[in-house]
Amino acid sequence: MKSFVPLNRTLNAMTIPKSPVTTRFGRYQRNYSASRSRSDGLPGLDYSKLTVTRAETPKELQQNKDLVFGATFTDHMLQVKWNTKDGWLAPSIMPYQNLSLAPSASVFHYAFECFEGMKAYKAGGGSIRLFRPDKNMARLNKSTQRIALPTFDTDVMTRLIGDLVKLDSRFIPSERGYSLYLRPTVIGTQESLGVAAPGSALLFVIASPVGPYYPTGFKAVSLEATDYAVRAWPGGVGDKKLGANYAPCIVPQMEAGTRGFQQNLWLFGEEEYVTEVGTMNLFIAMKNQETGKNELLTPPLDGTILEGVTRDSVLALARERLVPRGWGVSERKVTMKEISQASKDGRLIEVFGAGTAAIVSPVRDISWKGQKIDCGLKKNEEAGKVALEMKNWIEEIQYGEVEHEWSVQV
């Protein structure tokens, strides 16, 4: 019988808050993360051991107009196995293929799975670029560590992904708005039904060519403020990119869809704080009631909010380019009541979501307590000025049209 790591050993490797804050929301209000990696003391990722096996029958490329998000995959994938005895084994780039896992693998029973979403872009002159891969790799490590999966050297992992992207570069469309979506994933593969930290894991990366999120231009969405289901809670894992965070959100999204809404606006607590919109971070542009100053704000990273790479990019660009225009930029808690009042007062300028897939997703209105809150767009508008500027600024960097440290050439 194969052994597995006892649960008490796993708990001993984690930091338990010694003095949690007590509030009406419960005992833990702080971000909770494991303090040690299960990879400590074991061999790490070794780029020099990389092997590459090319696909014998290359796939036929689809026309750009026919690309559907996540439906087409490239010729190759990256795989690296890990176990508690040998650490990370030799990385391998191989033809895209099915995985072979035992039905008792821990990923199937206890949701030992986390992932990332990132993109590669083809810039002018044919150079291939990744957008802020360091952020994605750091976040993936935080996710793996939280669910007792192994961490890895982020620089080595970025280099391995770069090799995969270069090998499959013919799948990256050169047209603006198109890219190669990358899905790094880590799963527990321990063959045991014991509830314990997996003794083995698999890291793999697959790639899919994708087109613009809005192929015919922006289309502002309508949101349902959702108070009958909760996406995340303090002390939980809402700030980690786990597959287990996504599946429970599908039914509320389907229910909202039957009422004519494209996405949920997730609320939390009796105060009805806004958190995220669908699977994206939320941004609100409004005039501050006290100062009359334009303000771009987003909920803070309090443990219930995913540390979005696009979120961080929007905040950085806003502080660099909007603040000199007289704007304020804030990370603070916002309630639905505050948003509703700003709309009634004519102070709500625009609202949008931010994420890897769309960069920004403008919001036309929000349904809350039987009322429709107008989010500032005119009838003939599908996006506000700030959302449009953010999309343009970020795309200029992604496609190498302006030199920036966020754009990493592979």
Side-chain angles (χ1 to χ4, degrees):
M1 180 181 294
K2 294 186 178 181
S3 61
F4 54 87
V5 181
L7 182 60
N8 61 349
R9 177 178 164 186
T10 305
L11 291 176
N12 289 338
M14 298 181 178
T15 298
I16 307 297
K18 294 181 179 180
S19 55
V21 179
T22 301
T23 74
R24 72 176 67 186
F25 299 141
R27 200 158 173 256
Y28 294 107
Q29 280 289 295
R30 299 177 179 175
N31 297 9
Y32 174 75
S33 296
S35 61
R36 291 177 55 192
S37 167
R38 298 193 64 227
S39 299
D40 291 350
L42 294 172
L45 276 179
D46 188 343
Y47 178 82
S48 69
K49 294 181 179 179
L50 173 65
T51 61
V52 179
T53 304
R54 291 177 175 269
E56 294 182 359
T57 307
K59 298 176 181 177
E60 184 176 341
L61 295 179
Q62 286 194 322
Q63 294 186 25
N64 288 356
K65 64 181 180 64
D66 296 328
L67 291 174
V68 177
F69 182 85
T72 303
F73 298 94
T74 63
D75 288 333
H76 301 90
M77 64 188 294
L78 170 69
Q79 280 196 32
V80 197
K81 294 181 179 180
W82 176 92
N83 63 60
T84 53
K85 177 183 177 182
D86 305 306
W88 288 106
L89 304 182
S92 176
I93 293 177
M94 61 184 66
Y96 180 90
Q97 58 192 266
N98 293 338
L99 302 178
S100 179
L101 296 171
S104 58
S106 54
V107 63
F108 297 134
H109 302 275
Y110 307 118
F112 286 102
E113 186 271 351
C114 55
F115 67 95
E116 271 302 315
M118 54 193 293
K119 289 181 177 180
Y121 304 84
K122 187 168 287 184
S127 65
I128 308 301
R129 297 168 181 264
L130 299 174
F131 182 71
R132 309 193 75 181
D134 56 321
K135 288 287 186 180
N136 292 102
M137 295 300 96
R139 187 172 65 181
L140 184 55
N141 263 343
K142 289 181 181 179
S143 297
T144 60
Q145 196 164 332
R146 179 62 178 86
I147 57 173
L149 290 174
T151 57
F152 50 83
D153 184 301
T154 59
D155 290 336
V156 174
M157 189 60 199
T158 300
R159 192 175 175 188
L160 290 170
I161 291 175
D163 281 7
L164 173 65
V165 169
K166 284 187 287 187
L167 183 60
D168 281 341
S169 61
R170 70 187 185 94
F171 286 89
I172 310 177
S174 55
E175 188 177 344
R176 176 81 173 258
Y178 291 81
S179 57
L180 185 67
Y181 183 83
L182 302 168
R183 175 54 65 89
T185 306
V186 185
I187 62 174
T189 57
Q190 174 81 46
E191 297 179 22
S192 172
L193 297 183
V195 183
S200 61
L202 174 67
L203 186 160
F204 64 90
V205 183
I206 55 178
S208 174
V210 295
Y213 194 81
Y214 296 103
T216 59
F218 275 121
K219 183 66 177 177
V221 299
S222 294
L223 306 180
E224 180 180 67
T226 304
D227 58 1
Y228 54 85
V230 179
R231 192 198 79 88
W233 48 90
V237 292
D239 59 339
K240 307 299 187 294
K241 205 165 180 66
L242 313 182
N245 283 338
Y246 290 77
C249 296
I250 299 301
V251 169
Q253 182 180 337
M254 293 170 64
E255 291 182 0
T258 64
R259 293 185 282 272
F261 304 102
Q262 285 76 49
Q263 279 290 1
N264 303 86
L265 175 58
W266 300 103
L267 307 183
F268 182 79
E270 295 177 11
E271 290 87 349
E272 296 187 302
Y273 291 116
V274 298
T275 60
E276 294 192 359
V277 49
T279 58
M280 295 182 288
N281 294 118
L282 180 70
F283 281 88
I284 304 151
M286 66 167 69
K287 286 189 178 295
N288 186 286
Q289 187 172 18
E290 296 179 358
T291 66
K293 183 178 180 180
N294 287 350
E295 181 181 22
L296 182 66
L297 54 93
T298 190
L301 299 178
D302 61 356
T304 67
I305 305 292
L306 186 67
E307 298 179 34
V309 177
T310 308
R311 174 189 183 276
D312 186 78
S313 303
V314 168
L315 284 171
L317 290 170
R319 287 168 177 143
E320 176 188 294
R321 304 182 187 188
L322 294 185
V323 168
R325 299 182 192 171
W327 281 71
V329 179
S330 304
E331 296 176 68
R332 65 174 178 85
K333 290 185 178 296
V334 185
T335 65
M336 274 306 306
K337 183 178 180 180
E338 182 180 356
I339 294 173
S340 175
Q341 190 61 52
S343 179
K344 291 177 181 177
D345 295 346
R347 294 183 291 106
L348 189 57
I349 301 170
E350 62 179 285
V351 177
F352 59 90
T356 298
I359 302 180
V360 295
S361 179
V363 176
R364 181 166 298 283
D365 51 57
I366 303 170
S367 175
W368 177 61
K369 295 186 182 301
Q371 59 179 299
K372 182 177 287 188
I373 299 173
D374 186 339
C375 292
L377 296 179
K378 298 177 182 178
K379 287 187 178 181
N380 61 341
E381 285 183 329
E382 295 296 339
K385 182 179 179 181
V386 176
L388 286 170
E389 285 188 316
M390 287 298 170
K391 179 179 183 293
N392 185 56
W393 290 338
I394 290 175
E395 283 191 336
E396 286 178 340
I397 297 170
Q398 290 172 336
Y399 290 94
E401 295 169 7
V402 296
E403 286 300 321
H404 200 286
E405 62 181 353
W406 292 348
S407 181
V408 179
Q409 190 167 336
V410 299

